[in-house]
Amino acid sequence: MITLILVHRIPNLPTQSWTFEDESVIRIGRSSDNHVIIHSAVVSRYHVELQRKGCKWKILNLGGNGTYSDENLITQAPVVDGMLLRLARSGPQLQIKVGANVFKNTPKILPAKEVLAG
């Protein structure tokens, strides 16, 4: 199981999340055929792809504005539980949680398919 949590810049603002149990590929971007749709001018139509091999996940950047982890531009990287991804240098931020105990120590979140960011 993998969960993506939109991290808002304003504290105590409800966030949105997407949980996937059986997918081997998850696509994130502005286009309506992505698994996670984020409407932001800095997010590409197809910005990031998460790929699962066995029980491990990896991130592939597809976006022209880049994908960042710890302020470092990444082209591909392994997923680490709890890591933060930023879509473009100034774009929306997603936290990645892997495993069944996703919501332990995580603020209450609201499920959603689409989000308007930035």
Side-chain angles (χ1 to χ4, degrees):
M1 175 185 301
I2 189 167
T3 298
L4 308 173
I5 303 166
L6 180 66
V7 178
H8 285 284
R9 293 181 183 131
I10 302 169
N12 301 320
L13 187 65
T15 59
Q16 296 177 318
S17 72
W18 302 263
T19 299
F20 303 93
E21 294 196 27
D22 299 322
E23 284 81 356
S24 58
V25 173
I26 300 167
R27 292 182 189 88
I28 304 166
R30 278 193 343 256
S31 181
S32 63
D33 59 345
N34 285 295
H35 296 91
V36 175
I37 302 164
I38 299 180
H39 299 288
S40 170
V42 297
V43 174
S44 298
R45 287 178 296 142
Y46 302 100
H47 200 102
V48 174
E49 187 171 278
L50 301 176
Q51 297 177 350
R52 180 173 53 98
K53 299 266 186 188
C55 61
K56 297 193 183 221
W57 288 88
K58 79 174 177 181
I59 304 159
L60 295 171
N61 173 61
L62 306 173
N65 288 331
T67 300
Y68 295 81
S69 177
D70 295 325
E71 302 301 321
N72 297 312
L73 179 65
I74 58 173
T75 54
Q76 68 175 11
V79 169
V80 177
D81 184 42
M83 76 185 302
L84 294 172
L85 287 184
R86 184 173 304 280
L87 308 181
R89 186 170 298 280
S90 63
Q93 189 168 258
L94 295 169
Q95 182 174 35
I96 302 176
K97 297 281 195 166
V98 181
N101 292 325
V102 169
F103 298 109
K104 185 177 182 182
N105 300 323
T106 301
K108 184 177 179 181
I109 55 179
L110 304 172
K113 171 83 171 136
E114 296 187 23
V115 63
L116 185 59

